[in-house]
Amino acid sequence: MDFIRTMLIGIVHGITEFLPLSSSGHTGLLENMWVHSGTEEIFFEVLLHAATLLAVIVYFWRDVTKVAAEMILICMDLITNMRIFIENKKTGADKRYQKISGNNYRKLTLMLLTAAIPMAILGMLSRRLVQIAFGNLLAIGIGSMISAILLLVIDHIAKGEKIPKDMTCDCAIWMGICQGMAAFPGISRVGVSMAVGLLCGLNRKVAVKFTFLTAIPAIGGALILELMHLGESSMTGRLAGTYLCGALAAGITGFLLIRPVVRYLQRARFRGSALYSFLLGIVAIVCEFVK
């Protein structure tokens, strides 16, 4: 893959990453048109996601730091509760335990940790399947059509009022599963995760925020997994440099677009995005049979 094509793919990824469209579907389609997809292309895809992830961390920095602080406090409370448990068993006392879920950010943190479990399981089990899917435009087309259906569902879901403290574990688990499924090309991370969150009754702003925050461990874990398998690819120093330039283009584009896109997601209807995803799916399927 040459430098110009890689930069173009990075820009396309940066534009589509935060929209209710599949960025991996777009990049997978472009990569299949230009090069044969392989292990190194999967690494490039994860690298693109990691670049745009930096924009997510910067934009949600206040939430990220609060969640990190709550994780530390949760660990401290768990240790304290373990000591209280041991003391109560030894002495027969009845000391009260520390409340783990005390405030809105504490509950949000617990739900993010819950969502991370299915994400990690799906990520480890489906890596080889995702690699095969990236080399198949039919899979990209089907994924895009699934996203189109879910985007239409979003427009017909009644407005929810739930905030993080009202979330349940089953909602977090399903949103985590959606994040894991979004590794497959054509599946919109934002679209499927928001659809499940809204079906669970979440406030739309909360659904958007939870979708982006759960993407942090999902993409971070995928990057670590790909780095562990980097030795299996035919990566060269020149190719790695080219990929880094593409990732830089994706990161800059994503950083410039994330603020207006988040505002758009919080209030817009997605019929246009659904139609676009459906047409993208048709294009991918046609290309699979004529290439």
Side-chain angles (χ1 to χ4, degrees), residues 127-141:
R127 181 182 179 274
R128 178 56 182 164
L129 195 58
V130 170
Q131 183 178 325
I132 295 172
F134 263 93
N136 191 326
L137 290 175
L138 182 61
I140 294 175

Side-chain angles (χ1 to χ4, degrees), residues 69-81 98 100:
E70 290 296 341
M71 284 185 181
I72 295 173
L73 293 175
I74 287 172
C75 291
M76 293 174 63
D77 286 344
L78 287 173
I79 294 172
T80 300
N81 285 343
Q98 295 285 341
I100 301 299

Side-chain angles (χ1 to χ4, degrees), residues 83-95 97:
R83 290 174 178 171
I84 292 174
F85 174 79
I86 295 173
E87 185 177 344
N88 286 347
K89 282 292 185 181
K90 286 183 177 180
T91 64
D94 190 24
K95 288 186 176 181
Y97 294 100

Side-chain angles (χ1 to χ4, degrees), residues 4 21 26 50 62 73-74 85 142 144-146 171 181 256:
I4 299 299
L21 306 171
H26 286 78
R62 178 173 174 270
L73 293 175
I74 287 172
F85 174 79
I142 293 173
S144 296
M145 290 184 175
I146 292 173
C171 178
M181 290 172 54
L256 294 174

Side-chain angles (χ1 to χ4, degrees), residues 2 35 44 46 49-50 53 58 63 74 77 82 102 113 129 139 150 159 167 184 197 230 235 247 263 280:
D2 61 36
V35 294
F44 179 46
V46 174
H49 282 292
L53 182 63
V58 171
D63 298 291
I74 287 172
D77 286 344
M82 181 61 68
L113 292 171
L129 195 58
L150 290 172
K159 291 183 178 180
M167 285 186 71
F184 288 87
L230 193 57
M235 184 70 67
R263 291 175 179 172
L280 180 68

Side-chain angles (χ1 to χ4, degrees), residues 7-17 23 26-27 30 253:
M7 293 291 287
L8 178 59
I9 289 175
I11 292 171
V12 170
H13 178 92
I15 293 172
T16 56
E17 172 73 342
S23 58
H26 286 78
T27 55
L30 291 174
T253 306

Side-chain angles (χ1 to χ4, degrees), residues 28 31-32 36-46 122-137 139-140 183-185 225-226 229-230 232-234:
E31 288 174 15
N32 274 275
H36 175 69
S37 184
T39 304
E40 62 274 9
E41 269 65 53
I42 302 299
F43 175 73
F44 179 46
E45 181 64 28
V46 174
L122 281 173
M124 289 185 289
L125 295 180
S126 64
R127 181 182 179 274
R128 178 56 182 164
L129 195 58
V130 170
Q131 183 178 325
I132 295 172
F134 263 93
N136 191 326
L137 290 175
I140 294 175
F184 288 87
L225 188 62
E226 288 305 315
H229 290 86
L230 193 57
E232 302 172 6
S233 68
S234 55

